[in-house]
Amino acid sequence: MTTRGFEFHGSLDGSTPVIRDFTAGVAAAHKVGDAVLIQADGYVDQVTGDIDEVTGVVMEAKAAADITAGTTKIKVALVTNHQIWRCSMDDTTTTGVIGYTKTMDLADTNTVDANDITNGSLTLYDTGTDDDGNVLGYFIFSDCTFTNA
């Protein structure tokens, strides 16, 4: 199956994500499965490119036309470093090593870069294959807003 971005798979401690409202920081389309990060202004923005800290994953799609930056609320599942999230990658193979690679990165806000293993903060937990023949990765977010001090 091809994922719609990040999807909750399970956790190492039996917990499930807490879902809460956050204010969107930009008037851009937010899709279910997009990774987001809270900014200094208290709003969440989508994470693209190099992924460091992550606050959560969007659980409610909102079209750009339906968002007023700094006003519109979106539903976000808070991520912790005990949760496992699955997400499709952008290639049929990956250079990531399960349990060893802790620096996988994003290709865009809801697809993991299968071969960029140097700039990110995703720990590869397991792999499979999605319906498009690309790697389906299972990840632990290593740098989470609410579980890192």
Side-chain angles (χ1 to χ4, degrees):
M1 116 187 152
T2 303
T3 62
R4 299 179 303 161
F6 287 95
E7 299 173 339
F8 181 71
H9 175 71
S11 69
L12 301 174
D13 65 359
S15 66
T16 58
V18 172
I19 298 175
R20 61 160 290 183
D21 289 336
F22 280 99
T23 303
V26 295
H30 287 69
K31 296 182 278 187
V32 172
D34 287 354
V36 294
L37 172 64
I38 196 161
Q39 304 299 316
D41 57 12
Y43 306 146
V44 291
D45 293 341
Q46 293 157 309
V47 178
T48 59
D50 292 346
I51 187 171
D52 292 316
E53 181 181 332
V54 175
T55 301
V57 173
V58 174
M59 293 284 107
E60 173 185 44
K62 291 261 187 186
D66 296 332
I67 295 178
T68 301
T71 302
T72 305
K73 303 277 189 190
I74 58 173
K75 298 231 178 279
V76 174
L78 302 181
V79 298
T80 70
N81 54 14
H82 297 287
Q83 298 168 346
I84 302 162
W85 293 79
R86 69 176 169 221
C87 188
S88 291
M89 296 191 202
D90 64 351
D91 204 344
T92 57
T93 60
T94 182
T95 53
V97 177
I98 293 170
Y100 178 78
T101 303
K102 297 173 179 59
T103 52
M104 294 200 74
D105 215 344
L106 295 179
D108 57 43
T109 193
N110 58 22
T111 308
V112 174
D113 188 323
N115 298 303
D116 182 354
I117 61 169
T118 59
N119 300 315
S121 63
L122 293 170
T123 299
L124 186 60
Y125 176 80
D126 202 358
T127 61
T129 305
D130 69 18
D131 291 341
D132 294 330
N134 289 335
V135 178
L136 180 62
Y138 296 81
F139 301 95
I140 296 171
F141 289 94
S142 303
D143 191 356
C144 310
T145 301
F146 292 103
T147 54
N148 289 345

